[in-house]
Amino acid sequence: ISVSAQTNMTLTLWPEGAPGALGKEAKDVPTLTAFLPAPEKSTGAALVICPGGGYGHLADHEGSQYARWLNTQGIAGFVLKYRLGSNGYRHPAMLKDAARAIRTVRARANEWKLDAKRVGIIGSSAGGHLASTTITHWDLGSTNSPDAIERQSSRPDLAILCYPVISLSREYTHKGSRANLVGTNAPTELLAELSAELQVNKDTPPCFIWSTMEDKTVPVENSLMLAESLRRVGVPFDLHVYERGPHGIGLGNKTFDVASFHPWTRDCEFWLRERKFGR
């Protein structure tokens, strides 16, 4: 199949069934949908996209719309349909799905004319939590695995975190996301393990983080705590706190009107160019 014909192609992450799957229905089958930019615009960079939705549903305006926006910057977008707490899943199913998505893009980079060394992750709200977990709980792959995908590293080369849930262990957490991810009586150690501000180290990839002061659903403290932790270990980050805007704002409109996108998109485009992802 020609590359252009593969745009919006949806792949099953584990053709033989996902580890820990509770069934074989659509809700049990994590997928990745490829949105490839026009070949003449492509920079060769890619981002796996984790939509928000409190680990209870997946918000399309933080999925396919982000992919289309990234395509305008020459970046391939891969929208991840990860397993959800509302369908009976708990950690680590979601993290396994995100890690597998990163590995899949790397394993098939040649086929999609992508650079396996420029594969990042972007997530919003609970999807931002999943992205923050992915950048703090990655591995270099299993070199001896018979599965070529599993031999790839799951470390994203950078992360974009949009009004993310970061901490599960502090008062600023989003209780609905936490309950869907780990249940209501999770041990303290697990909550700490899934609080990215406690898990970053010098090998955590660079981050673009943004939130709004007005966000009442996921308080800005989540973003501030992560930035402070990244600063402490010397990992580069770009932090943007906008005064106005409710939670879940996405690109700023639902109609894909580029002229009225939220300013975060322009700030992020600048950052992506600086990091040799965008055009």
Side-chain angles (χ1 to χ4, degrees), residues 139-258:
D139 65 66
L140 293 172
S142 312
T143 41
N144 302 321
S145 174
D147 180 349
I149 292 173
E150 290 300 316
R151 296 198 286 267
Q152 299 288 335
S153 165
S154 66
R155 180 187 182 271
D157 294 306
L158 55 73
I160 299 167
L161 306 170
C162 312
Y163 38 86
V165 179
I166 294 296
S167 186
L168 293 193
S169 56
R170 309 202 193 184
E171 68 270 27
Y172 304 115
T173 192
H174 181 248
K175 293 188 176 68
S177 295
R178 183 173 69 186
N180 275 327
L181 183 65
V182 295
T184 47
N185 295 307
T188 311
E189 307 80 58
L190 181 60
L191 297 179
E193 187 185 319
L194 296 176
S195 295
E197 84 281 6
L198 304 177
Q199 300 299 329
V200 299
N201 61 38
K202 62 180 178 33
D203 296 318
T204 301
C207 293
F208 180 98
I209 311 161
W210 74 275
S211 186
T212 68
M213 198 224 40
E214 288 183 341
D215 192 331
K216 294 188 172 48
T217 308
V218 178
V220 67
E221 278 82 358
N222 283 271
S223 294
L224 299 177
M225 287 188 297
L226 180 63
E228 186 182 0
S229 297
L230 291 169
R231 171 76 180 146
R232 201 177 299 125
V233 295
V235 169
F237 66 89
D238 229 23
L239 171 67
H240 296 261
V241 180
Y242 303 95
E243 180 185 356
R244 301 195 176 277
H247 186 71
I249 198 170
L251 296 174
N253 63 58
K254 302 280 175 79
T255 56
F256 207 76
D257 172 20
V258 178

Side-chain angles (χ1 to χ4, degrees), residues 81-135:
K81 185 187 88 177
Y82 54 91
R83 288 171 285 175
L84 295 169
S86 53
N87 293 327
Y89 289 96
R90 293 289 182 265
H91 173 77
M94 300 74 163
L95 177 58
K96 285 183 173 164
D97 296 348
R100 178 76 175 184
I102 295 284
R103 294 190 220 276
T104 298
V105 175
R106 286 213 168 100
R108 300 184 65 169
N110 283 347
E111 186 186 330
W112 289 317
K113 297 184 168 51
L114 299 173
D115 178 357
K117 294 187 173 64
R118 284 183 294 146
V119 179
I121 194 165
I122 176 172
S124 307
S125 191
H129 181 266
L130 181 53
S132 77
T133 309
T134 308
I135 61 172

